[in-house]
Amino acid sequence: MSVQLIRTEGFPVFSFHVHENRDGLCHKSVSGKGLLDELGLFYKNDVSPIILALAKAAQTKAVMLWKHIYNQLYTYMEEESRDAADDSTRNLIIEQFKSITWEIEPEVFGLHSNPFRIIPKFRTDPNPPHNTISIKATCCLAYQLRPDHGYCSSCPILPPE
């Protein structure tokens, strides 16, 4: 895995690239524990060193960076479940997401607790058509990078409705 810093729309964005092809990880014929073990090794050996280096360089806590990864995983899960063919598939996607986020041991992240054990919160999007949106696990801080950006509608810093 590598990380790339990209400047888009006037502010920097980190892009994470997985070099080893891991397609079909969820389609392997191994137990759920086997998949969790493989994912845990990936986080521990590949992702954690990058997170720790970024945290040190940015002078921030590693847990905050792990929560940014959670934000992306949650967004991916929402998109996949929204595009699911039926309710059964949708429920399977949601349950798999819960499993791969909640059941991983904290040591994998190099932390005392699992930063992915987050109970999702929701609010009404202030932008039309005013759908319910999930609140991010942590703020992306984009509002600090550009004076014209403001808070995202899913920002946890915004006060409750």
Side-chain angles (χ1 to χ4, degrees):
M1 182 174 199
S2 64
V3 63
Q4 188 175 36
L5 179 61
I6 305 166
R7 186 173 176 88
T8 60
E9 298 179 27
F11 59 91
V13 174
F14 285 105
S15 174
F16 295 88
H17 298 279
V18 179
H19 299 287
E20 184 178 324
N21 185 356
R22 293 185 181 270
D23 290 341
L25 178 64
C26 294
H27 302 291
K28 288 183 179 180
S29 59
V30 295
S31 69
K33 182 177 177 350
L35 291 174
L36 283 172
D37 290 346
E38 186 170 336
L39 188 57
L41 286 172
F42 173 65
Y43 284 151
K44 184 176 184 176
N45 297 332
D46 298 319
V47 183
S48 193
I50 293 172
I51 292 293
L52 292 174
L54 286 173
K56 184 176 179 181
Q59 298 177 2
T60 191
K61 295 180 180 180
V63 68
M64 301 309 288
L65 299 176
W66 280 111
K67 288 184 179 191
H68 283 289
I69 292 174
Y70 174 87
N71 287 344
Q72 291 301 334
L73 290 172
Y74 192 87
T75 298
Y76 178 73
M77 182 274 301
E78 282 184 319
E79 291 169 357
E80 288 295 308
S81 64
R82 184 178 49 242
D83 296 341
D86 53 45
D87 286 342
S88 175
T89 305
R90 184 174 298 106
N91 291 336
L92 179 62
I93 291 167
I94 293 168
E95 287 306 312
Q96 284 178 338
F97 174 78
K98 286 179 186 176
S99 175
I100 66 169
T101 55
W102 279 75
E103 294 179 24
I104 296 176
E105 296 301 321
E107 296 78 25
V108 164
F109 303 100
L111 302 170
H112 296 293
S113 62
N114 177 337
F116 291 173
R117 286 186 184 155
I118 296 170
I119 297 172
K121 297 177 185 170
F122 301 89
R123 72 164 47 108
T124 303
D125 191 345
N127 303 311
H130 306 295
N131 295 325
T132 300
I133 58 172
S134 59
I135 298 172
K136 292 179 181 175
T138 190
C139 178
C140 67
L141 302 176
Y143 74 94
Q144 291 187 341
L145 298 173
R146 285 191 5 215
D148 63 330
H149 190 279
Y151 295 109
C152 304
S153 58
S154 60
C155 185
I157 292 176
L158 289 174
E161 298 170 352

